[in-house]
Amino acid sequence: MTAFEAVIGLEVHVELLTQTKLFCSCSTDFGAAPNTQVCPICLGLPGGNTPRLNKKAVAYAIKTALALNCQVAQEITFDRKNYFYADLPNGYQITQHFHPMGKKGFLPVNVAEKTKNIGIHQVHLEEDAGKMFHVGDILSSPFSRVDFNRASVPLVEIVTEPDLRTAEEARLFLQKLRNTLLYIGISDCKMEEGSLRCDANISLRPLGSKELGVKTELKNMNSFRAVYRGIEYEIERQTGILQEGGTVIPETRHWDEEIGATKSMREKLSESYRYFPDPVLLPLKTDTKWLEEILYSIPELPDSRYKRFTEDYGLPPYDAEVLTSSRDLADYYEQALQTYPEHKNLSNWIMSELMGLLNANNMEITACKVEPPELGDLLKLIDQGTISGKIAKTVFEEMFTTGEKPEKIIREKGLTQISDEETLLKIVDTVVTAHPGSVEDYHNGKNKALGFLVGQVMKETKGQANPRLVNKLLQKKLSN
Amino acid sequence: MDPANLSVQQITAKINKKELLLTELGAILAGRSKYAQKKLNLFISFDPQLFTEQIKKNEQSTQVNRPPLWGVPVAIADNITTVDQKTTCASRLLAAYQPPFEAQAVSLLQENGALLIGKTNLEEFGLGCAGNSSYFKPVKNPWDIKRTAGSGAAAAVASGLATFALASDVRGEIRQAASYCGVIALKPTYGKIPREGLIDSASSLEQTGILARRVSDLAWALQVLAVPGNNNPPAVKRPLYPEILGNIPAKTRIAVPADWDQAPLLEEGIKNNFREQLNKLARVGLEINYVTLPHFQYASLVATIIGAVEAFSNLSNLDGVRFGYRKEGKHLQEMYIKTRSAGFSSKLKKFLTLGGLLSTKKYYNSHFLQGQKMRSIIKKELLDCLQENELLLTPTTPCNAILLDSSPPAGEELPDPAAYYTAAANLAGFPSLNFPVSTNGLPYGLQFMAKKEDEGVLLQIAFLLEKEPIKWPIFALELQEV
Amino acid sequence: MKAVQEELKGAAWDARIELTATETKELLQELQNFFKLTRQLQKINLEKTPATYYGSEKTNTLREDVVQPSLPLDVSLVNAPETDDSCFLVPRIIEE
Ligand SMILES: [Zn+2]
């Protein structure tokens, strides 16, 4: 049987975090009442053909192109993609067909311990369409309702080269891309809300062949999991067809999450898109000074941060990977380092305690009430012996819920560790007197008995006793 | 003197001296407009009450420093948006469309005290002058009601219903209509008058222009309207147009294409008259230079290619969803087809189909791209010519206004022969002016073209030629009796 | 011209227009002269000539990202042929 190789390219749309639309000053706020964020320009009203380009959207698109190592266009031009659809107010979408904002970039992705550069074919700026609501599903809906609030919201489209070979590679790439875009702050990249959308072009070819096979376009994948499963399914489906000697039909297919399969869209009209330069939007030169400003606004990206975390901080690769997987998390870590420069210890705490609580509460790091320096303070208190590690976990939970400072919680709850020998000696005496059996066991060589007695002292002190000191005092007492 | 034939300055002066009451002027114009509408069909919206209200507002104003267009009656073509009157583009698709915003040019006129007398009829979406596509029937020419006027704006100015009018120019429409109706018209430099609110069918060619009976009135209108639009950087320096009219440079050189008489369908009468006009110009001391513009002959063709593709795209928003006429269909695509097939005139249906054809992959490079390249050549030739000469002169139209019921129907040819001389200015974005002259009792015009931003010299040459007041059509004299 | 007629049908569909038989006949007639001229145009070598897509040599300007009021809902909907209380209504999308 012939072995096949999948050739996958992604088209990723991200909504930009601008206040206003691409060509008018209507708000882009999510969730407003239908058709309350529209004007003559974005509603395509006659006489409203006076687009006014949003500076921030252009800057964000350039920033994206730079972060993805693209060559940036020297002149910004826009083209019209003409077609009729109910969610498209003008009968054309304004996009950058002939001269995209960025070309010939790449994004390094770690695949199976190796770094693979995935080619970025282009990055371009375009406008979104409106939203349609159907009565029931699209197939049976007798009519549809249209809301144009999203019409003309700025999007950046990132088109990869067909460099991906497996569903896993696609998923890893998409995660890395999302992470990078979050780092540069151009989008909130929420797949569930549609601010990050991913389509995939998938074809198969005999292993070793250089030619491309017939591709299908896969749409409607609304989560990372869906991207993975959708591509996986489509590869299997195409493999099945080819192995039976059939041919793949070039078509658009929808991923159906519920049934876990891709379905043909059965598009009846073969729409011939027309592109031509928008005669209204004059070209705009990208001046060097502005480009430099944008370049400086790009923060340190995950790859270089990862390198620094492993090399400068000596963190294990796993820790560095987790911590740099989000800019906010890495920022948190580095801010906490300012008060607590124990790299690995801090990393452990963030990865287990902090992330554990975040996950349990389904929260983002940005919503965390514990300020990074306060986490540092808490860890310092452990090292100084003021509280035990165990107590610290309780204190941290309290900090996480209330946002109070650790010292205050410890003081108010009286959680300070008891390290005073005299005080502890009295309790040790009481415990030893109360458990003659255990003392005898200890003397008979049963070391476990010591643990029991330490536990009793801890119980008496509600866990505040310094366990190391208790141990020492008990051993001393029993050897007498 | 007939109060309807006062200049901008005369109106202002007479109102200030209380020799003229706006209400009096208003009553005369309202009466005549009603009569003219019946005879010429020049308005799409004419609301005497709205007109009276504007007059009242002006009369009651206690403003001390009155702006320059105080009390001046103006007409607006119905493809320029107004908030208190519908804007139809003479199309069934927009027959009831009430824009929620006003064109910047209209706001400027109102801020400067002008009175909007009405919205004038035009070819559907302002394309052409043949009188064959308005949903509201053609406009009749005040010189001969059997002929097209080209536009209601030109007819209104020629009949003395408005001191000046605003209309758009895609491939020469305002100059052609002015040529047919015997008035002055200026298509300024591309972008000179703000385009906000112009319902444009071909954005890279189209520009709002001004029609008037007097050069000074046109100069005042331009003074008020030539401001940077929202999307335009501030203009470098704006001359005071009304004040420079008499200062034509001593050595004004006028270029004339050596093969000007090769236009298809050029009428014998116009050919002879234009020769006479050239002699006259030489006699007043202007230098006439015959020049070669080898690619000028392609201008109308190229403007048709570009215009069709841009219109195909620009008019795609007329889909029966957010505004305008809708003809129901079983599903979305059928609704589109039914709405647009019933909504556009035959002329537009054919023109948009042509635009659809020329933008397909098969025709894109050979027609659209080749056309845009030829546009560069034509522009370069004009620029070179206008660096050696202040002005370029041709007839405006190769013929007088065409008959409305000619057979076979005229004005459907591709490209439109009427745009032979006019389209080049749209391709290049250069300003161009029609100055009316007449032949066989019917008007036609001399078309002057200048470099970008050189409207001043166009106004100066027109002022020089404006020896006597413009001739009135018989119809205007008839109106004075109303 | 038979081929052109087919192309016109496609182009008309792309413009969402249905030409009547008369209109098609007229347009084909008008296109004869038009194509004669465009054939002439194509013979001119313009390989090295840049295209002019715009009416102006000025450059585009940028707008700051600051929200301005949108249209009130009733104004947005007022010109529409069919709406409910917040949306524009269109006939069913699927054709069968
Ligand atoms: Zn808007």
Side-chain angles (χ1 to χ4, degrees):
Chain A
M1 219 187 278
T2 329
F4 289 101
E5 171 185 61
V7 177
I8 306 160
L10 300 183
E11 288 170 15
V12 182
H13 288 89
V14 288
E15 263 178 18
L16 299 181
L17 276 177
T18 55
Q19 300 296 308
T20 66
K21 295 188 176 182
L22 187 49
F23 297 114
C24 64
S25 303
C26 288
S27 167
T28 54
D29 268 358
F30 197 80
N35 295 304
T36 54
Q37 291 172 177
V38 294
C39 73
I41 297 175
C42 61
L43 208 49
L45 294 187
N49 187 11
T50 50
R52 301 190 59 218
L53 186 54
N54 184 338
K55 185 176 179 184
K56 191 168 217 170
V58 174
Y60 277 5
I62 293 175
K63 204 170 171 181
T64 308
L66 289 171
L68 299 177
N69 308 296
C70 290
Q71 297 169 6
V72 176
Q74 293 181 330
E75 201 172 55
I76 298 167
T77 55
F78 289 95
D79 310 300
R80 293 180 180 179
K81 177 182 183 179
N82 297 273
Y83 66 98
F84 284 86
Y85 204 57
D87 61 8
L88 195 64
N90 276 308
Y92 55 81
Q93 177 197 30
I94 303 178
T95 180
Q96 295 187 295
H97 176 72
F98 294 107
H99 306 287
M101 203 69 92
K103 276 198 289 201
K104 296 183 182 162
F106 64 90
L107 182 67
V109 176
N110 290 329
V111 180
E113 316 264 306
K114 267 194 216 140
T115 304
K116 180 172 175 183
N117 279 346
I118 304 302
I120 303 293
H121 180 72
Q122 70 178 56
V123 170
H124 64 260
L125 183 58
E126 62 182 29
E127 55 179 356
D128 205 349
K131 194 171 163 40
M132 303 224 280
F133 306 101
H134 309 297
V135 183
D137 73 345
I138 186 170
L139 291 167
S140 61
S141 186
F143 64 91
S144 299
R145 305 163 63 231
V146 196
D147 167 15
F148 289 99
N149 281 353
R150 303 315 289 163
S152 205
V153 165
L155 299 177
V156 154
E157 180 174 353
I158 298 141
V159 183
T160 74
E161 296 293 350
D163 288 348
L164 301 159
R165 293 291 170 270
T166 64
E168 178 62 7
E169 277 186 25
R171 194 182 62 83
L172 288 170
F173 168 83
L174 197 59
Q175 259 167 5
K176 180 67 178 287
L177 177 67
R178 176 175 184 268
N179 190 11
T180 305
L181 299 179
L182 287 173
Y183 258 77
I184 62 173
I186 58 125
S187 172
D188 60 13
C189 296
K190 290 182 180 157
M191 277 191 103
E192 329 77 62
E193 284 180 18
S195 62
L196 187 152
R197 287 167 249 167
C198 178
D199 301 335
N201 290 305
I202 304 162
S203 66
L204 259 52
R205 64 183 173 197
L207 203 58
S209 164
K210 286 276 164 250
E211 272 166 57
L212 291 173
V214 177
K215 70 177 182 192
T216 58
E217 194 182 356
L218 188 52
K219 287 181 182 287
N220 197 38
M221 300 174 289
N222 299 325
S223 65
F224 282 86
R225 198 173 111 91
V227 170
Y228 179 84
R229 290 178 67 206
I231 294 175
E232 190 84 344
Y233 178 92
E234 190 55 21
I235 293 173
E236 252 174 60
R237 189 186 71 86
Q238 291 189 18
T239 309
I241 293 172
L242 294 175
Q243 275 174 347
E244 280 167 23
T247 47
V248 173
I249 303 163
E251 60 180 351
T252 301
R253 299 180 68 87
H254 261 211
W255 168 248
D256 188 321
E257 183 75 35
E258 259 170 51
I259 62 166
T262 64
K263 289 197 299 198
S264 172
M265 278 296 282
R266 287 180 296 131
E267 277 170 308
K268 268 185 81 182
L269 24 141
S270 60
E271 192 72 52
S272 46
Y273 294 129
R274 286 166 166 71
Y275 293 92
F276 74 93
D278 192 307
V280 182
L281 286 155
L282 303 175
L284 172 68
K285 291 251 186 317
T286 42
D287 76 272
T288 329
K289 206 181 134 232
W290 193 38
L291 282 186
E292 273 172 12
E293 263 172 47
I294 296 169
L295 193 60
Y296 287 136
S297 76
I298 295 179
E300 189 188 19
L301 293 177
D303 285 329
S304 116
R305 217 163 189 185
Y306 172 89
K307 199 160 166 260
R308 206 156 49 75
F309 279 24
T310 49
E311 289 175 6
D312 297 0
Y313 299 162
L315 291 180
Y318 177 75
D319 291 38
E321 180 89 42
V322 171
L323 290 176
T324 57
S325 69
S326 117
R327 180 183 168 187
D328 292 323
L329 192 62
D331 284 349
Y332 192 98
Y333 174 74
E334 293 207 281
Q335 281 166 33
L337 272 187
Q338 303 286 321
T339 46
Y340 186 73
E342 296 295 325
H343 303 120
K344 177 62 181 151
N345 208 10
L346 179 61
S347 154
N348 288 348
W349 258 80
I350 288 182
M351 285 179 19
S352 55
E353 305 310 323
L354 176 57
M355 288 178 70
L357 283 175
L358 288 174
N359 286 340
N361 291 284
N362 203 7
M363 272 167 64
E364 295 286 333
I365 181 79
T366 43
C368 179
K369 285 187 188 160
V370 183
E371 294 296 326
E374 286 159 10
L375 173 60
D377 289 343
L378 178 70
L379 301 193
K380 264 199 289 193
L381 291 172
I382 306 175
D383 289 1
Q384 289 160 1
T386 312
I387 51 169
S388 67
K390 198 167 165 220
I391 292 282
K393 286 178 189 174
T394 321
V395 175
F396 185 68
E397 277 172 33
E398 186 73 19
M399 288 165 72
F400 190 85
T401 329
T402 62
E404 292 289 358
K405 290 191 189 318
E407 295 85 352
K408 193 177 170 217
I409 296 169
I410 292 165
R411 196 173 51 227
E412 283 178 1
K413 304 220 158 179
L415 294 174
T416 319
Q417 190 157 268
I418 305 168
S419 301
D420 177 51
E421 287 202 20
E422 240 172 86
T423 319
L424 286 180
L425 213 49
K426 276 182 204 154
I427 304 166
V428 165
D429 284 343
T430 329
V431 167
V432 166
T433 319
H435 299 281
S438 296
V439 174
E440 206 180 317
D441 285 351
Y442 178 77
H443 285 132
N444 290 336
K446 286 188 185 162
N447 274 335
K448 249 173 126 185
L450 179 67
F452 173 77
L453 293 168
V454 172
Q456 292 307 307
V457 177
M458 295 308 286
K459 201 174 159 191
E460 286 292 315
T461 59
K462 295 194 179 88
Q464 279 170 266
N466 182 337
R468 232 175 309 143
L469 194 56
V470 172
N471 222 302
K472 200 181 92 189
L473 292 174
L474 261 173
Q475 280 186 20
K476 207 166 144 195
K477 172 91 189 168
L478 295 174
S479 60
N480 286 343
Chain B
M1 194 178 194
D2 183 16
N5 191 29
L6 297 170
S7 70
V8 166
Q9 280 162 299
Q10 286 166 338
I11 293 175
T12 318
K14 280 189 187 289
I15 291 173
N16 282 342
K17 284 190 237 153
K18 302 213 161 44
E19 289 170 18
L20 175 71
L21 288 174
L22 270 185
T23 37
E24 182 190 338
L25 176 64
I28 293 171
L29 291 176
R32 289 182 189 180
S33 294
K34 217 170 129 193
Y35 182 82
Q37 176 62 6
K38 233 185 319 182
K39 295 273 176 175
L40 304 181
N41 192 33
L42 75 185
F43 288 113
I44 288 175
S45 297
F46 169 68
D47 184 342
Q49 203 185 329
L50 264 177
F51 188 54
T52 317
E53 274 168 30
Q54 290 179 63
I55 289 175
K56 249 191 227 151
K57 226 173 98 191
N58 272 28
E59 291 249 285
Q60 286 162 3
S61 160
T62 50
Q63 215 165 327
V64 184
N65 290 319
R66 286 179 171 170
L69 301 181
W70 194 259
V72 174
V74 301
I76 309 287
D78 211 23
N79 59 347
I80 297 173
T81 61
T82 44
V83 276
D84 47 15
Q85 289 181 73
K86 59 182 183 160
T87 301
T88 68
C89 296
S91 176
R92 182 181 194 180
L93 287 163
L94 293 178
Y97 176 61
Q98 174 54 64
F101 62 105
E102 187 155 74
Q104 205 183 334
V106 174
S107 305
L108 283 167
L109 293 181
Q110 292 194 317
E111 284 159 22
N112 281 281
L115 308 169
L116 306 192
I117 186 155
K119 300 297 294 292
T120 54
N121 198 352
L122 68 167
E123 294 301 306
E124 193 178 18
F125 289 97
L127 286 163
C129 281
N132 56 3
S133 64
S134 171
Y135 180 59
F136 301 95
K137 306 276 160 47
V139 185
K140 292 168 190 165
N141 194 308
W143 293 82
D144 175 358
I145 58 165
K146 290 197 289 298
R147 291 170 190 271
T148 178
S151 73
V157 170
S159 313
L161 301 176
T163 307
F164 65 87
L166 296 190
S168 79
D169 192 296
V170 186
R171 285 172 296 175
E173 285 79 355
I174 72 164
R175 287 162 285 156
Q176 292 165 29
S179 171
Y180 294 164
C181 290
V183 296
I184 309 167
L186 172 72
K187 178 203 93 73
T189 306
Y190 183 85
K192 186 110 185 170
I193 293 176
R195 54 190 304 281
E196 280 84 357
L198 169 67
I199 303 177
D200 51 354
S201 47
S203 304
S204 81
L205 305 172
E206 195 159 355
Q207 171 59 44
T208 303
I210 308 159
L211 302 108
R213 284 188 310 277
R214 277 190 195 78
V215 180
S216 68
D217 293 347
L218 206 156
W220 273 110
L222 186 64
Q223 192 65 31
V224 163
L225 292 166
V227 300
N230 286 339
N231 209 16
N232 294 327
V236 196
K237 208 173 72 195
R238 190 162 52 129
L240 283 167
Y241 295 111
E243 288 175 20
I244 58 159
L245 297 178
N247 315 343
I248 190 161
K251 277 231 157 117
T252 296
R253 295 158 298 178
I254 299 180
V256 176
D259 61 351
W260 65 269
D261 57 355
Q262 296 304 302
L265 307 185
L266 178 60
E267 275 175 10
E268 221 30 55
I270 288 184
K271 206 188 275 185
N272 295 333
N273 188 281
F274 188 71
R275 283 205 185 97
E276 275 172 39
Q277 299 292 340
L278 289 177
N279 292 335
K280 259 199 223 166
L281 291 173
R283 278 202 298 276
V284 296
L286 294 161
E287 185 181 321
I288 307 279
N289 297 317
Y290 288 90
V291 296
T292 329
L293 299 172
H295 297 94
F296 187 88
Q297 56 173 315
Y298 291 106
S300 179
L301 176 71
V302 169
T304 296
I305 295 170
I306 296 169
V309 172
E310 290 188 5
F312 166 86
S313 176
N314 275 21
L315 303 184
S316 295
N317 61 342
L318 296 143
D319 60 4
V321 176
R322 285 143 292 116
F323 52 83
Y325 170 77
R326 172 192 283 191
K327 191 166 180 182
E328 288 301 340
K330 284 199 293 291
H331 49 76
L332 180 69
Q333 300 301 334
E334 191 182 284
M335 185 278 279
Y336 285 153
I337 294 267
K338 283 189 163 177
T339 297
R340 291 168 61 85
S341 299
F344 285 118
S345 66
S346 271
K347 186 173 88 178
L348 256 284
K349 284 171 72 181
K350 290 185 277 182
F351 193 59
L352 297 180
T353 302
L354 175 65
L357 184 75
L358 299 181
S359 52
T360 51
K361 273 211 180 82
K362 183 177 166 194
Y363 289 85
Y364 187 91
N365 283 345
S366 61
H367 286 73
F368 184 65
L369 186 60
Q370 185 79 353
Q372 299 281 29
K373 288 178 165 188
M374 179 48 81
R375 182 183 193 173
S376 306
I377 303 272
I378 293 170
K379 189 172 170 181
K380 176 82 173 35
E381 280 177 10
L382 288 176
L383 191 62
D384 289 349
C385 166
L386 289 168
Q387 244 132 30
E388 302 288 315
N389 300 274
E390 279 67 35
L391 296 161
L392 175 69
L393 170 63
T394 61
T396 303
T397 48
C399 50
N400 301 116
I402 55 173
L403 288 163
L404 283 168
D405 55 356
S406 59
S407 169
E412 305 234 333
E413 300 92 335
L414 287 173
D416 185 356
Y420 182 85
Y421 296 114
T422 52
N426 301 85
L427 292 173
F430 288 3
S432 174
L433 175 137
N434 174 73
F435 185 81
V437 287
S438 78
T439 164
N440 328 322
L442 280 175
Y444 86 100
L446 304 180
Q447 175 184 264
F448 293 94
M449 201 187 293
K451 282 200 301 291
K452 284 204 169 176
E453 306 296 339
D454 251 357
E455 283 81 2
V457 68
L458 289 172
L459 294 174
Q460 286 163 343
I461 186 77
F463 190 74
L464 182 75
L465 299 177
E466 190 185 39
K467 283 277 155 54
E468 51 207 89
I470 211 161
K471 273 204 190 120
W472 287 96
I474 319 250
F475 179 74
L477 303 176
E478 185 183 324
L479 268 183
Q480 288 176 13
E481 307 301 316
V482 174
Chain C
M1 268 315 184
K2 192 81 196 155
V4 178
Q5 192 171 341
E6 272 310 297
E7 288 168 0
L8 281 185
K9 218 173 142 189
W13 160 258
D14 290 344
R16 295 301 183 273
I17 279 170
E18 195 169 39
L19 295 179
T20 62
T22 319
E23 285 163 350
T24 306
K25 215 178 98 196
E26 285 169 0
L27 183 51
L28 283 169
Q29 180 66 36
E30 290 153 20
L31 282 175
Q32 283 185 2
N33 180 52
F34 179 79
F35 283 138
K36 208 169 75 196
L37 293 172
T38 58
R39 274 194 293 276
Q40 244 171 283
L41 179 65
Q42 283 159 43
K43 282 192 197 127
I44 303 167
N45 186 349
L46 299 176
E47 229 163 90
K48 295 212 169 76
T49 310
T52 298
Y53 295 110
Y54 310 99
S56 169
E57 302 80 40
K58 289 187 180 142
T59 59
N60 205 350
T61 52
L62 293 165
R63 162 183 66 82
E64 292 300 327
D65 184 31
V66 178
V67 175
Q68 304 279 339
S70 294
L71 291 175
L73 179 64
D74 54 339
V75 175
S76 301
L77 297 182
V78 71
N79 277 297
E82 214 185 333
T83 67
D84 59 13
D85 52 12
S86 66
C87 284
F88 299 92
L89 302 187
V90 295
R92 59 186 274 109
I93 306 294
I94 301 297
E95 297 185 21
E96 60 260 17

